[in-house]
Amino acid sequence: MLWSTAKPIISATGIHTSRGWRETIAQARGDSYSDAIWASAYKSLSVVARWHTYVGNKHVSFFDLREQNEDAKALVLDWARNRAVEDLKGVVRRRPFNILEAPTRKADLEPYKNAEPKLLAAEFQGGKLYLQFFSTRAYTMREPLDITRMSAAQARLFEEYEEVIGVRTRLVPCFDTVVVDTANDLVELRVDFQPGMTEDKNSPAFVRVMNEFNRATTKFIGQGAVGVGLMNLHPAINPMYQDAACGRVTALGFVATSKASSSNNHGQIHRTKTQDFRKDSFHVGGKQHVDKVDPYTIGITWPAKPSKGDLYLELKGSVRAIYSGKLRAVTTAEFLGCLDGADYDFIADQVLRRLPRRKK
């Protein structure tokens, strides 16, 4: 989590906080607390950590069960409501560890690097079936290297370069969540991702989790739960852009067209941390000289009340799809900053209520 989010959580447990993770941990080592305080702190932080595995930093895809025939849909919903937790009890009992005991060190993650996702939890709450899967994935990180810290011989190899970038591969513990929303006829795949890091594409996490979920439903109800009905999120982009009450537009990719010409043809995504493109003088001024602005990517930021951090949603499409006339499909939404279920539900609702669906 961001320190701005974690600090008030830790403070509320009674553990001293100062000016960052290192100082807090160092101070905690030296402080004396009663067993009651430590037990309370562990309980509080455990709840937050568990929730974070369900909602923190997710690539989210939605499957509309209404696109299936009535019998197939009814089978999935009945299983999720009435039998899934019991059917999966044996699998959960054989899990290698529970959520809070999942490995984090490289040596401990190695055995799970090429393994199928492991089911760690199956719960039914508030009309939703939650299945929590664990897997290990390889991510690459690009980091600038400081030439001045190299030996003279090493520095000479790079003396003609202004910047040297190193690429590291890191094993990351990932929690991917499948949610069957029985009230709204939806299946959500919430796939963990690491902002600023590139995932190994040899075995896409989305496909692995979907296959594991379908394998379970095939075993217990004789059919895969998802396949058809993957929702196209593109229709939500322009309504969000037009709705001034929908957060701040802090990322935008668009095509601006007029009768004589078009601009922004290179697929560049514009970003800002604090401004709203709807009110940006340069963007607004440009809109006055074109016939139409057609957004294909949008990032929305909602400022959060303390002690939470800002919430962020990004729907990223392709400018090529617009010019080639192909289906403008956006099947993944990026959720950042969620701390609990209320945060997640707020962002999900912003997308789903702007999408056309069949009536129940």
Side-chain angles (χ1 to χ4, degrees):
M1 297 179 195
L2 295 174
W3 172 247
S4 59
T5 302
K7 182 178 179 180
I9 296 171
I10 296 176
S11 297
T13 66
I15 299 175
H16 169 78
T17 60
S18 48
R19 291 180 295 178
W21 286 112
R22 290 177 181 272
E23 291 189 27
T24 297
I25 293 170
Q27 187 69 42
R29 285 196 185 107
D31 287 347
S32 295
Y33 291 99
S34 68
D35 290 343
I37 290 178
W38 281 113
S40 174
Y42 179 81
K43 182 178 180 180
S44 175
L45 294 175
S46 295
V47 171
V48 175
R50 186 177 174 86
W51 261 114
H52 195 66
T53 67
Y54 283 93
V55 302
N57 298 345
K58 301 293 183 182
H59 281 152
V60 183
S61 298
F62 300 92
F63 286 87
D64 189 351
L65 292 176
R66 297 175 193 173
E67 296 300 318
Q68 300 188 19
N69 65 58
E70 285 298 319
D71 290 341
K73 182 185 78 170
L75 268 177
V76 174
L77 294 177
D78 178 69
W79 180 74
R81 287 191 190 100
N82 303 312
R83 303 187 346 248
V85 173
E86 183 65 27
D87 286 346
L88 295 168
K89 185 180 294 184
V91 180
V92 174
R93 191 181 299 119
R94 295 190 300 272
R95 64 190 177 183
F97 39 75
N98 64 38
I99 292 175
L100 295 180
E101 294 173 349
T104 57
R105 295 184 302 177
K106 183 178 180 180
D108 298 328
L109 291 170
E110 279 285 352
Y112 303 97
K113 185 169 63 173
N114 298 313
E116 295 301 322
K118 305 293 184 183
L119 183 67
L120 299 187
E123 303 168 300
F124 190 83
Q125 299 180 22
K128 296 180 180 181
L129 172 68
Y130 293 87
L131 304 180
Q132 187 70 303
F133 293 92
F134 172 88
S135 63
T136 296
R137 295 200 281 275
Y139 283 81
T140 56
M141 305 169 61
R142 296 170 58 87
E143 298 178 337
L145 302 179
D146 188 353
I147 301 176
T148 63
R149 299 179 63 181
M150 298 180 181
S151 68
Q154 291 172 327
R156 279 196 295 272
L157 295 173
F158 303 105
E159 61 186 5
E160 296 182 3
Y161 297 91
E162 295 179 1
E163 186 178 16
V164 178
I165 301 294
V167 177
R168 270 199 307 142
T169 300
R170 176 183 169 193
L171 293 181
V172 177
C174 295
F175 294 93
D176 304 315
T177 312
V178 177
V179 180
V180 182
D181 184 344
T182 63
N184 294 299
D185 302 340
L186 288 171
V187 176
E188 305 172 24
L189 264 65
R190 308 176 184 178
V191 177
D192 249 0
F193 78 102
Q194 302 290 315
M197 299 171 66
T198 304
E199 183 189 341
D200 178 7
K201 298 300 181 183
N202 291 331
S203 53
F206 171 85
V207 174
R208 295 176 69 200
V209 175
M210 181 177 67
N211 288 345
E212 202 63 26
F213 177 50
N214 278 337
R215 188 177 294 117
T217 58
T218 300
K219 177 180 179 180
F220 294 110
I221 62 176
Q223 68 177 47
V226 292
V228 300
L230 181 59
M231 296 179 71
N232 179 13
L233 310 181
H234 184 274
I237 293 177
N238 194 53
M240 285 182 164
Y241 173 66
Q242 298 293 342
D243 186 355
C246 182
R248 298 193 311 267
V249 178
T250 51
L252 191 64
F254 64 93
V255 173
T257 57
S258 67
K259 294 178 181 178
S261 64
S262 62
S263 63
N264 191 39
N265 297 342
H266 302 293
Q268 179 182 2
I269 298 176
H270 306 274
R271 297 186 183 276
T272 174
K273 290 185 177 180
T274 58
Q275 301 301 315
D276 185 342
F277 279 114
R278 301 188 194 95
K279 303 175 183 178
D280 177 75
S281 58
F282 185 80
H283 180 66
V284 173
K287 285 177 63 176
Q288 297 172 353
H289 298 282
V290 297
D291 298 324
K292 182 183 180 182
V293 171
D294 190 357
Y296 56 85
T297 289
I298 195 166
I300 306 285
T301 299
W302 289 273
K305 298 179 180 178
S307 59
K308 292 184 177 181
D310 291 351
L311 301 177
Y312 181 74
L313 163 73
E314 185 161 313
L315 301 176
K316 187 180 295 183
S318 168
V319 67
R320 293 181 180 179
I322 292 178
Y323 281 109
S324 64
K326 295 180 180 179
L327 177 66
R328 302 179 187 182
V330 178
T331 57
T332 301
E334 187 170 293
F335 286 26
L336 282 170
C338 296
L339 191 60
D340 53 33
D343 290 343
Y344 179 94
D345 290 343
F346 171 81
I347 297 181
D349 179 66
Q350 295 295 318
V351 178
L352 291 170
R353 62 189 172 90
R354 291 178 167 90
L355 298 176
R357 295 185 65 195
R358 293 181 184 179
K359 293 184 178 180
K360 297 185 70 172

